[in-house]
Amino acid sequence: MAGDILRGTEGREWNEKRLKTYVTAKVKQFGEKQGCYPASIDIVASSMGGLITRAFLADRQLDVYGDPTRKLNLKVGKVIMIATPNARTLLAAWV
């Protein structure tokens, strides 16, 4: 689970890179076992994980081929966000 690799103490950019690394590894693993890459993936995220997911979705080009000039454009089927502050939060101004 991605919850094991993301850290709330780190920033969004750091976690976005970690998420991309994790998803790339899982897509490669799927490809090795199944002989093809997944047609799409679904994502469930909560709180800060939803913000990290939004940033990840902006660039879904994955380096699964080991060739930086050739990338896999990952399709995302469903994204479910739970308690993600998409419209910001008033409390953040006071912290």
Side-chain angles (χ1 to χ4, degrees):
M1 301 206 42
D4 297 337
I5 65 157
L6 301 181
R7 294 187 188 143
T9 57
E10 301 294 338
R12 183 195 52 81
E13 290 179 2
W14 186 90
N15 280 297
E16 180 190 349
K17 288 177 187 172
R18 290 279 292 208
L19 179 61
K20 192 168 192 170
T21 300
Y22 176 83
V23 171
T24 299
K26 290 298 180 181
V27 166
K28 280 183 178 181
Q29 185 181 42
F30 182 93
E32 289 169 2
K33 288 184 179 179
Q34 302 298 323
C36 64
Y37 294 114
S40 68
I41 64 167
D42 296 331
I43 300 173
V44 177
S46 68
S47 194
M48 186 172 128
L51 300 176
I52 295 163
T53 298
R54 274 193 9 216
F56 167 75
L57 292 174
D59 179 19
R60 297 177 310 248
Q61 301 288 319
L62 301 182
D63 182 13
V64 295
Y65 302 111
D67 177 0
T69 63
R70 196 169 163 228
K71 305 271 185 178
L72 173 69
N73 187 20
L74 182 65
K75 294 183 181 10
V76 177
K78 296 177 187 172
V79 176
I80 300 170
M81 294 184 187
I82 303 165
T84 298
N86 287 306
R88 302 191 182 215
T89 177
L90 295 175
L91 295 175
W94 294 328
V95 176

